[in-house]
PDB file of all heavy atoms in Angstrom:
ATOM      1  N   GLY A  53     206.435  28.709  50.708  1.00 91.00           N
ATOM      2  CA  GLY A  53     206.035  28.180  49.405  1.00 91.00           C
ATOM      3  C   GLY A  53     207.232  28.268  48.453  1.00 91.00           C
ATOM      4  O   GLY A  53     208.180  28.905  48.682  1.00 91.00           O
ATOM      5  N   PHE A  54     207.025  27.592  47.292  1.00 92.00           N
ATOM      6  CA  PHE A  54     208.161  27.523  46.297  1.00 92.00           C
ATOM      7  C   PHE A  54     208.451  28.827  45.681  1.00 92.00           C
ATOM      8  O   PHE A  54     209.573  29.349  45.563  1.00 92.00           O
ATOM      9  CB  PHE A  54     207.838  26.436  45.311  1.00 92.00           C
ATOM     10  CG  PHE A  54     208.926  26.228  44.305  1.00 92.00           C
ATOM     11  CD1 PHE A  54     210.094  25.415  44.578  1.00 92.00           C
ATOM     12  CD2 PHE A  54     208.889  26.878  43.041  1.00 92.00           C
ATOM     13  CE1 PHE A  54     211.057  25.311  43.682  1.00 92.00           C
ATOM     14  CE2 PHE A  54     209.880  26.638  42.058  1.00 92.00           C
ATOM     15  CZ  PHE A  54     210.973  25.913  42.340  1.00 92.00           C
ATOM     16  N   GLY A  55     207.392  29.458  45.190  1.00 92.00           N
ATOM     17  CA  GLY A  55     207.480  30.716  44.421  1.00 92.00           C
ATOM     18  C   GLY A  55     208.200  31.830  45.260  1.00 92.00           C
ATOM     19  O   GLY A  55     208.986  32.634  44.753  1.00 92.00           O
ATOM     20  N   ALA A  56     207.871  31.932  46.607  1.00 93.00           N
ATOM     21  CA  ALA A  56     208.400  32.995  47.415  1.00 93.00           C
ATOM     22  C   ALA A  56     209.729  32.714  47.981  1.00 93.00           C
ATOM     23  O   ALA A  56     210.403  33.621  48.583  1.00 93.00           O
ATOM     24  CB  ALA A  56     207.383  33.298  48.540  1.00 93.00           C
ATOM     25  N   THR A  57     210.205  31.477  47.855  1.00 94.00           N
ATOM     26  CA  THR A  57     211.548  31.129  48.379  1.00 94.00           C
ATOM     27  C   THR A  57     212.638  31.597  47.489  1.00 94.00           C
ATOM     28  O   THR A  57     212.553  31.396  46.276  1.00 94.00           O
ATOM     29  CB  THR A  57     211.623  29.661  48.565  1.00 94.00           C
ATOM     30  OG1 THR A  57     210.672  29.167  49.557  1.00 94.00           O
ATOM     31  CG2 THR A  57     213.019  29.280  49.079  1.00 94.00           C
ATOM     32  N   SER A  58     213.650  32.272  48.005  1.00 95.00           N
ATOM     33  CA  SER A  58     214.856  32.707  47.261  1.00 95.00           C
ATOM     34  C   SER A  58     216.073  31.982  47.692  1.00 95.00           C
ATOM     35  O   SER A  58     216.161  31.616  48.829  1.00 95.00           O
ATOM     36  CB  SER A  58     214.939  34.265  47.443  1.00 95.00           C
ATOM     37  OG  SER A  58     215.388  34.557  48.736  1.00 95.00           O
ATOM     38  N   MET A  59     217.008  31.920  46.790  1.00 96.00           N
ATOM     39  CA  MET A  59     218.270  31.277  47.093  1.00 96.00           C
ATOM     40  C   MET A  59     219.006  32.137  48.171  1.00 96.00           C
ATOM     41  O   MET A  59     219.630  31.567  49.013  1.00 96.00           O
ATOM     42  CB  MET A  59     219.110  31.077  45.812  1.00 96.00           C
ATOM     43  CG  MET A  59     218.550  30.059  44.804  1.00 96.00           C
ATOM     44  SD  MET A  59     218.504  28.411  45.531  1.00 96.00           S
ATOM     45  CE  MET A  59     218.981  27.516  44.148  1.00 96.00           C
ATOM     46  N   GLU A  60     218.752  33.538  48.141  1.00 95.00           N
ATOM     47  CA  GLU A  60     219.332  34.318  49.105  1.00 95.00           C
ATOM     48  C   GLU A  60     218.901  33.992  50.521  1.00 95.00           C
ATOM     49  O   GLU A  60     219.702  33.883  51.483  1.00 95.00           O
ATOM     50  CB  GLU A  60     219.075  35.749  48.813  1.00 95.00           C
ATOM     51  CG  GLU A  60     219.688  36.337  47.592  1.00 95.00           C
ATOM     52  CD  GLU A  60     218.916  36.159  46.324  1.00 95.00           C
ATOM     53  OE1 GLU A  60     217.987  35.407  46.349  1.00 95.00           O
ATOM     54  OE2 GLU A  60     219.231  36.747  45.251  1.00 95.00           O
ATOM     55  N   ALA A  61     217.590  33.775  50.663  1.00 96.00           N
ATOM     56  CA  ALA A  61     217.024  33.372  51.995  1.00 96.00           C
ATOM     57  C   ALA A  61     217.497  32.080  52.480  1.00 96.00           C
ATOM     58  O   ALA A  61     217.873  31.924  53.619  1.00 96.00           O
ATOM     59  CB  ALA A  61     215.494  33.408  51.892  1.00 96.00           C
ATOM     60  N   VAL A  62     217.641  31.098  51.620  1.00 96.00           N
ATOM     61  CA  VAL A  62     218.166  29.791  51.962  1.00 96.00           C
ATOM     62  C   VAL A  62     219.631  29.858  52.314  1.00 96.00           C
ATOM     63  O   VAL A  62     220.072  29.316  53.372  1.00 96.00           O
ATOM     64  CB  VAL A  62     218.082  28.821  50.804  1.00 96.00           C
ATOM     65  CG1 VAL A  62     218.729  27.465  51.200  1.00 96.00           C
ATOM     66  CG2 VAL A  62     216.530  28.528  50.459  1.00 96.00           C
ATOM     67  N   ALA A  63     220.446  30.691  51.644  1.00 96.00           N
ATOM     68  CA  ALA A  63     221.876  30.845  51.945  1.00 96.00           C
ATOM     69  C   ALA A  63     222.012  31.510  53.319  1.00 96.00           C
ATOM     70  O   ALA A  63     222.808  31.085  54.105  1.00 96.00           O
ATOM     71  CB  ALA A  63     222.489  31.655  50.882  1.00 96.00           C
ATOM     72  N   GLN A  64     221.194  32.530  53.561  1.00 96.00           N
ATOM     73  CA  GLN A  64     221.282  33.223  54.864  1.00 96.00           C
ATOM     74  C   GLN A  64     220.865  32.297  56.001  1.00 96.00           C
ATOM     75  O   GLN A  64     221.530  32.211  57.051  1.00 96.00           O
ATOM     76  CB  GLN A  64     220.367  34.432  54.817  1.00 96.00           C
ATOM     77  CG  GLN A  64     220.505  35.271  56.112  1.00 96.00           C
ATOM     78  CD  GLN A  64     219.688  36.547  56.045  1.00 96.00           C
ATOM     79  OE1 GLN A  64     218.892  36.753  55.059  1.00 96.00           O
ATOM     80  NE2 GLN A  64     219.687  37.399  57.077  1.00 96.00           N
ATOM     81  N   ALA A  65     219.785  31.553  55.865  1.00 96.00           N
ATOM     82  CA  ALA A  65     219.374  30.572  56.884  1.00 96.00           C
ATOM     83  C   ALA A  65     220.385  29.494  57.139  1.00 96.00           C
ATOM     84  O   ALA A  65     220.556  29.000  58.265  1.00 96.00           O
ATOM     85  CB  ALA A  65     218.028  29.959  56.506  1.00 96.00           C
ATOM     86  N   ALA A  66     221.103  29.099  56.035  1.00 95.00           N
ATOM     87  CA  ALA A  66     222.033  27.961  56.246  1.00 95.00           C
ATOM     88  C   ALA A  66     223.444  28.482  56.625  1.00 95.00           C
ATOM     89  O   ALA A  66     224.286  27.617  56.988  1.00 95.00           O
ATOM     90  CB  ALA A  66     222.219  27.172  54.915  1.00 95.00           C
ATOM     91  N   GLY A  67     223.621  29.794  56.581  1.00 94.00           N
ATOM     92  CA  GLY A  67     224.931  30.339  56.963  1.00 94.00           C
ATOM     93  C   GLY A  67     225.959  30.111  55.916  1.00 94.00           C
ATOM     94  O   GLY A  67     227.169  29.944  56.259  1.00 94.00           O
ATOM     95  N   VAL A  68     225.583  30.077  54.612  1.00 95.00           N
ATOM     96  CA  VAL A  68     226.524  29.917  53.595  1.00 95.00           C
ATOM     97  C   VAL A  68     226.295  30.981  52.494  1.00 95.00           C
ATOM     98  O   VAL A  68     225.332  31.763  52.620  1.00 95.00           O
ATOM     99  CB  VAL A  68     226.427  28.510  52.842  1.00 95.00           C
ATOM    100  CG1 VAL A  68     226.611  27.442  53.959  1.00 95.00           C
ATOM    101  CG2 VAL A  68     225.003  28.313  52.248  1.00 95.00           C
TER     102      VAL A  68
END
Side-chain angles (χ1 to χ4, degrees):
F54 182 81
T57 295
S58 67
M59 291 299 215
E60 290 88 347
V62 174
Q64 184 175 4
V68 301

